[in-house]
């Protein structure tokens, strides 16, 4: 939270919750900073799946919830950032080198300095 507070005003939405790709990346960095955690994740098979807790608890629960969230100034950036950070930090690591070599989205993103639009 100190890092977030140094970066932006936490009194403004979404407050002390992550807001963008850099903040999601920071969460991965902090989670995997401990050498024992890195060792564990490198030696124990695991399966990671994207779910509502990667963005906000209980999202997409109703049409009115979606409408309210889409009306905020911060939701679009947050949902895109959550999906992109999951793809980079979890999904790509689950693909074999052969699968990466033939993945058209991965190839397209590697060809540009900023793959956000893709």
């Amino acid at each position: 939270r100190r890092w977030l507070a140094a970066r932006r005003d936490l009194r403004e939405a979404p407050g002390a919750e992550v807001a963008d790709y850099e903040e999601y990346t920071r969460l991965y960095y902090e989670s995997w900073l401990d050498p024992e955690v890195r060792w564990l994740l490198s030696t124990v098979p695991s399966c990671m799946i994207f779910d509502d807790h990667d963005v906000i608890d209980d999202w997409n629960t109703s049409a009115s919830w979606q409408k309210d969230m889409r009306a905020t100034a911060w939701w679009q950036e947050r949902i895109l950032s959550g999906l992109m950070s999951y793809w980079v930090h979890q999904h790509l690591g689950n693909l074999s080198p052969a699968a990466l070599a033939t993945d058209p989205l991965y190839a397209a993103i590697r060809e540009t300095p900023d793959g956000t639009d893709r």
Side-chain angles (χ1 to χ4, degrees), residues 21-94:
Y21 183 77
E22 186 172 352
E23 292 176 9
Y24 272 104
T25 299
R26 179 70 181 215
L27 288 176
Y28 281 107
Y29 169 77
E30 289 180 359
S31 297
W32 297 344
L33 189 61
D34 185 311
E36 293 173 350
V37 171
R38 283 197 318 273
W39 173 84
L40 181 68
L41 291 172
S42 73
T43 58
V44 176
S46 62
C47 178
M48 300 190 187
I49 187 168
F50 187 84
D51 74 355
D52 66 312
H53 301 95
D54 289 295
V55 177
I56 193 168
D57 288 347
D58 302 324
W59 67 316
N60 288 339
T61 54
S62 67
S64 63
W65 183 92
Q66 284 183 344
K67 181 181 174 195
D68 292 345
M69 293 305 285
R70 288 177 180 166
T72 67
W74 55 271
W75 177 250
Q76 182 70 14
E77 179 73 20
R78 182 174 181 161
I79 187 67
L80 289 175
S81 297
L83 290 167
M84 287 189 306
S85 65
Y86 171 83
W87 189 77
V88 168
H89 295 283
Q90 295 186 44
H91 173 73
L92 290 179
N94 289 321

